Amino acid sequence: MTIQVSTVPEVGNSGVQGTIDRAAYLTALLNLRPALTENLAWLQLIRDQATSRVQELAIPSTREEEWRFTDLSALLQVNFAIANRSPAVRLADIQPFLLPEAANSRLVFVNGNYAPELSAIAHLPSDLVVTNLETVSQDSALRDRLTNYLATQPGFEEVFTALNTASFTDAAVILVPRNQAIATPLHLLFVSTAEDAAQLSQPRCLVIAESNSTLTFIEDYVSLGQGVYFTNPVTEIWLEGNAQINHTRIQRDHTAAFHIGKTAVSQTRDSRYTCTAISLGAVLSRHNLEIYQMGEQTETTLSGLTMIAGEQVADTHSAIAYTKPHGTSQQIHKCIVDHRAHAIFNGKVFVPKSAQLTDARQLSKNLLLSAKARVDTKPQLEITADNVKCTHGATVSQLDTDEVFYLQSRGIDEYSARKLLVYAFAYEVISQIPIPSLQNQLTAIVRTQKARQDN
């Protein structure tokens, strides 16, 4: 399904182009990158290397296997400008998105730029690093430590990842010292404010959990404006020996927005990574989630929920790459698709000969609420090891009429019965989020789902 920009009334004065060369369009996006300040000059080499990579690439088309279900033509129709670096955003404006559990552990970025007046980090432990790159630049020892991690994850050559690396001027930075268990969840809130002109922002996150440390954090993308914008975020996560991270990623951009995000995770021996990813917003979105198990006895747990309607397109591409024995992973991804929306899921698991005794389980479950809703799902295992336990599966269904009838027989009207079944379908994923207030926010969104069934 091709999304026509003309169906998005918020485009306004952003401009519509005809057929455009995909390499030229990517170059135009690259040319929007802002200059570095003097304090951040140490990033120049990283950005230059990524720039060279971008100059060899083009915006992907549906002729490429990894993008064959996701047409980026609508993105190519919009002329973007660099996002406003200093919009007038007050604490009251973001109040609906704040989490009581993270009232004193919050980093806020507006259009990709750090907003210290909206953040709250003063009462965090002194040895816990929760800051932005500009502040890191003032500490040469810390800067040198971070250089070993920043922009070094596998997969850095992917086109949108490289574009972000070539362009970013700031980042959220979290470094948990060894042997530290951080009980308070950290909230990384990324706010977009586009109104009239279409805007481009490219947020960045760097999260490092040193050995024997524990961290829970929320990565949250929201909008205050009603205009068209393109968010191209990259998050790099590193888990050292026996570290544990619980990561919740929420994408609830405005429905006129474009969102293409990357999460790259490297795990060493005995580490445990849990990710719950929720995709609700944007007219076109994609999340590339890549896990690299670099040590023995690593554990990965992934839960995903996509809930879309109207003309939305939402794509999730995940990959779990084993390299050592005794690794485990469990993944479930659910899609709820209504109206003419289109969901895509592609989940890969790579098990080479060096990864004997692997236990990998993957399941894709999809619920279509309309006769015109569409889902393309492809669980995929690539195994060359001969002593493993690996399973995968996929289901696509509509609401069960027998289940609806059963609830009606208990005095529940048909509309409420459908809503209840949709909620039950989504709750398996939402319940994995360890933040009660965020669970409640998302539950309220799910309960507003129309839950109808076209014939």
Side-chain angles (χ1 to χ4, degrees), residues 249-271:
R249 186 186 195 272
I250 311 294
Q251 185 274 105
R252 39 181 166 171
D253 285 307
H254 189 269
T255 52
F258 299 87
H259 182 110
I260 300 178
K262 171 71 165 290
T263 302
V265 183
S266 287
Q267 298 183 245
T268 56
R269 184 183 177 94
D270 297 316
S271 62

Side-chain angles (χ1 to χ4, degrees), residues 373-388:
R374 176 183 170 188
V375 63
D376 290 287
T377 181
K378 184 183 177 184
Q380 182 177 346
L381 302 180
E382 297 185 16
I383 304 170
T384 54
D386 54 12
N387 187 8
V388 299

Side-chain angles (χ1 to χ4, degrees), residues 355-418:
Q356 300 293 339
L357 300 172
T358 289
D359 187 347
R361 303 175 187 179
Q362 182 184 85
L363 180 60
S364 168
K365 301 180 71 175
N366 305 278
L367 182 62
L368 303 181
L369 300 180
S370 164
K372 296 182 179 179
R374 176 183 170 188
V375 63
D376 290 287
T377 181
K378 184 183 177 184
Q380 182 177 346
L381 302 180
E382 297 185 16
I383 304 170
T384 54
D386 54 12
N387 187 8
V388 299
K389 295 180 181 179
C390 296
T391 63
H392 67 170
T395 64
V396 180
S397 64
Q398 299 175 331
L399 288 176
D400 191 311
T401 56
D402 289 340
E403 292 178 351
V404 174
F405 177 77
Y406 175 82
L407 292 174
Q408 288 182 276
S409 70
R410 295 302 186 267
I412 301 174
D413 64 87
E414 181 180 1
Y415 179 74
S416 298
R418 292 183 182 279

Side-chain angles (χ1 to χ4, degrees), residues 117-134:
E117 70 281 5
L118 303 176
S119 303
I121 56 175
H123 300 292
L124 292 173
S126 58
D127 54 350
L128 172 66
V129 177
V130 179
T131 186
N132 69 315
L133 276 184
E134 186 76 29

Side-chain angles (χ1 to χ4, degrees), residues 83-103:
N84 186 354
R85 292 184 61 85
S86 55
V89 177
R90 302 167 300 164
L91 189 61
D93 297 328
I94 63 172
Q95 191 64 41
F97 308 113
L98 301 186
L99 306 174
E101 297 89 342

Side-chain angles (χ1 to χ4, degrees), residues 265-334:
V265 183
S266 287
Q267 298 183 245
T268 56
R269 184 183 177 94
D270 297 316
S271 62
R272 299 168 299 284
Y273 173 72
T274 299
C275 179
T276 304
I278 312 291
S279 181
L280 305 172
V283 66
L284 190 155
S285 67
R286 174 156 166 152
H287 182 211
N288 296 309
L289 175 58
E290 299 175 0
I291 314 296
Y292 304 95
Q293 292 198 0
M294 312 300 288
E296 295 186 18
Q297 299 180 161
T298 50
E299 299 178 13
T300 303
T301 304
L302 306 179
S303 302
L305 173 65
T306 296
M307 190 173 72
I308 54 176
E311 299 284 333
Q312 288 178 279
V313 176
D315 184 351
T316 298
H317 266 59
S318 69
I320 304 174
Y322 293 86
T323 62
K324 302 292 183 180
H326 300 284
T328 65
S329 67
Q330 295 189 42
Q331 179 179 19
I332 182 169
H333 188 86
K334 292 190 170 187

Side-chain angles (χ1 to χ4, degrees), residues 158-176:
E158 188 272 330
V159 55
F160 290 103
T161 304
L163 177 63
N164 178 292
T165 304
S167 308
F168 78 105
T169 58
D170 208 347
V173 177
I174 300 174
L175 192 156
V176 187

